[in-house]
Amino acid sequence: MWGDIAIAFLLAFIVTFMATPYTIKIARKVGAVDVPKDQRRMHKKAMPKFGGPAVILGFLVAVTYLLIVMSLEQKVNLFGTEQYGMKLLGMFLGIMVISVTCAIDDIITIKPIVKLAGQVVAAIVVVSFGVRINEITPGFLPTQELKEFFSVILTIGWIVGVTNAINLIDGLDGLSAGISVISSVSLLIIFVLNSSPLISILLITALAGALVGFLPFNFAPAKTFIGDTGSNFLGFSLSIISILGVAKTYTAVVIVLPLLALGLPIFDTVWAIIRRVVKGKSIKAIFKADKGHLHHLIVSRGFSQKQAVLILYGIGATLGLFAIIMLESGIWKALSFLLMVIVALGLGYKNFQAEKLEMQRYECIQCKYIYNPKSR
């Protein structure tokens, strides 16, 4: 298994790393360039935003190769009782739908409602091929098997919700790609500890490898953005893989683990929806972009864009570790770990504020010294 995991990661990494420079050239030719035309955007110059196809290519090449080879080796059975072959076909068709929709958006820009429709269609395709959340455990109650209608609605809602969560957090260099890497690694560890199906382990590993291959071009200062094609693909894939990874173990703890591993983008999305509805006083306001996302708020507190990204990486990693510790050691150890992190962050922020005030005081003294001859 570990050899196959290494192949999934390295093959996805190499293909994405080699393909990304070509997507930068293609972006400029087709007009997939993000121009900073409003105050909400954090970058100051036009930037290619077509890195998504390179990530998708790396992921698909690695997964397709391994599925063929492992089927020949009889390590996986794509057409057994679980029908993973049909589920993966549905996932690949859904990726095609969402990629085409968002590629058009990256090039010519389409209305948010049209993009949402593409996401819903892609989710329906996946569900129609058998990817479902079939059961839920409320915790202290027995496992409840969902009726087909509720199973379909819940699965579509999960896929569309996580897709938009990753898309909405894509606001700083390397942010959505880095957060997705952290979520992927967290889910990989959870799947291994939980004895999840091998296919889900390979899928999440290939996704992580493709993202690591893209990050050198996307981390600040970025050479390219992942674009809506990439960010939608990331959320779409993470949502489906998380379902496949816990498909055989519907316990209360395991069901909540993907929510924790993807906690940062999910929280940011839920808060954005509430904030926009309250501020705009209508459902339509949900589609109006604003500067209230977590990365905007952190930058507004005096942190640089790179510092903001690293802070959010830390929060994402903390939530992922919280999920892993909760699975392996229980809720109390996980909560004590989280408390220690919160205390450390509080002390660090207090020190940052003190240094910031000291720097402002120093700059003020320097200004007086330069512009006031009497102070010399």
Side-chain angles (χ1 to χ4, degrees):
M1 180 182 78
W2 292 106
D4 295 318
I5 289 174
I7 291 171
F9 183 89
L10 287 172
L11 187 55
F13 169 83
I14 291 168
V15 172
T16 302
F17 186 80
M18 299 304 293
T20 300
Y22 292 98
T23 64
I24 294 174
K25 295 178 181 178
I26 293 171
R28 294 189 175 118
K29 288 183 178 180
V30 301
V33 177
D34 195 340
V35 179
K37 56 182 179 288
D38 56 45
Q39 293 297 317
R40 185 178 61 85
R41 287 170 168 79
M42 306 297 286
H43 59 287
K44 303 301 180 186
K45 62 179 181 179
M47 185 70 65
K49 56 173 182 177
F50 210 52
V55 177
I56 296 171
L57 180 65
F59 173 79
L60 291 179
V61 168
V63 171
T64 303
Y65 169 77
L66 278 170
L67 288 177
I68 294 172
V69 171
M70 293 177 70
S71 294
L72 293 174
E73 295 174 338
Q74 297 184 344
K75 288 184 178 179
V76 295
N77 184 1
L78 296 178
F79 301 101
T81 54
E82 295 294 332
Q83 288 292 302
Y84 284 118
M86 292 298 293
K87 291 175 181 178
L88 290 174
L89 178 60
M91 179 180 177
F92 292 159
L93 290 174
I95 288 172
M96 188 182 299
V97 171
I98 209 163
S99 297
V100 170
T101 302
C102 294
I104 295 171
D105 185 50
D106 280 334
I107 295 169
I108 61 174
T109 306
I110 58 178
K111 292 181 179 180
I113 191 68
V114 176
K115 189 164 63 176
L116 178 62
Q119 295 169 349
V120 173
V121 170
I124 291 172
V125 169
V126 173
V127 171
S128 67
F129 276 79
V131 178
R132 303 275 181 89
I133 300 172
N134 291 315
E135 298 175 349
I136 284 185
T137 301
F140 52 88
L141 297 175
T143 298
Q144 301 293 318
E145 186 172 349
L146 297 173
K147 292 184 178 180
E148 185 175 2
F149 174 78
F150 292 108
S151 172
V152 169
I153 295 300
L154 180 61
T155 307
I156 292 173
W158 170 254
I159 293 173
V160 173
V162 175
T163 300
N164 280 288
I166 300 297
N167 183 42
L168 288 175
I169 205 171
D170 184 27
L172 295 176
D173 294 353
L175 183 53
S176 66
I179 291 296
S180 296
V181 168
I182 293 167
S183 297
S184 297
V185 172
S186 300
L187 287 173
L188 171 60
I189 296 171
I190 289 167
F191 291 169
V192 171
L193 291 174
N194 196 48
S195 301
S196 292
L198 179 58
I199 285 177
S200 63
I201 293 173
L202 295 176
L203 288 172
I204 202 69
T205 304
L207 186 62
L211 286 166
V212 173
F214 176 70
L215 264 176
F217 301 92
N218 186 230
F219 194 75
K223 297 181 180 69
T224 183
F225 292 158
I226 200 166
D228 272 7
T229 307
S231 59
N232 278 262
F233 161 74
L234 295 180
F236 186 76
S237 299
L238 283 167
S239 66
I240 296 167
I241 296 169
S242 66
I243 295 173
L244 296 177
V246 299
K248 288 186 177 180
T249 48
Y250 288 93
T251 64
V253 173
V254 173
I255 285 295
V256 82
L257 295 181
L259 284 170
L260 289 171
L262 298 165
L264 180 60
I266 290 174
F267 171 80
D268 191 46
T269 300
V270 171
W271 175 241
I273 292 171
I274 296 171
R275 182 180 66 249
R276 292 174 185 181
V277 169
V278 171
K279 188 176 180 180
K281 297 180 179 179
S282 71
I283 299 297
K284 291 182 179 179
I286 294 174
F287 299 103
K288 293 182 179 179
D290 59 17
K291 292 190 69 174
H293 291 288
L294 288 173
H295 52 273
H296 290 126
L297 297 177
I298 292 173
V299 171
S300 70
R301 300 296 295 179
F303 293 94
S304 68
Q305 291 191 36
K306 187 177 290 188
Q307 287 173 329
V309 170
L310 292 174
I311 289 169
L312 290 171
Y313 281 2
I315 295 173
T318 300
L319 290 172
L321 280 171
F322 180 85
I324 293 165
I325 294 169
M326 188 168 71
L327 173 64
E328 190 177 32
S329 303
I331 185 66
W332 295 113
K333 188 173 181 179
L335 286 173
S336 64
F337 160 76
L338 186 61
L339 179 61
M340 294 294 290
V341 171
I342 292 172
V343 171
L345 287 175
L347 293 173
Y349 180 71
K350 183 179 179 181
N351 184 57
F352 171 81
Q353 289 293 92
E355 287 187 0
K356 182 181 174 183
L357 289 172
E358 186 64 29
M359 183 61 69
Q360 290 173 345
R361 193 177 296 114
Y362 175 77
E363 289 174 352
C364 184
I365 292 171
Q366 288 293 100
C367 288
K368 288 181 179 179
Y369 180 79
I370 294 170
Y371 294 107
N372 186 3
K374 293 182 180 180
S375 65
R376 298 183 182 179

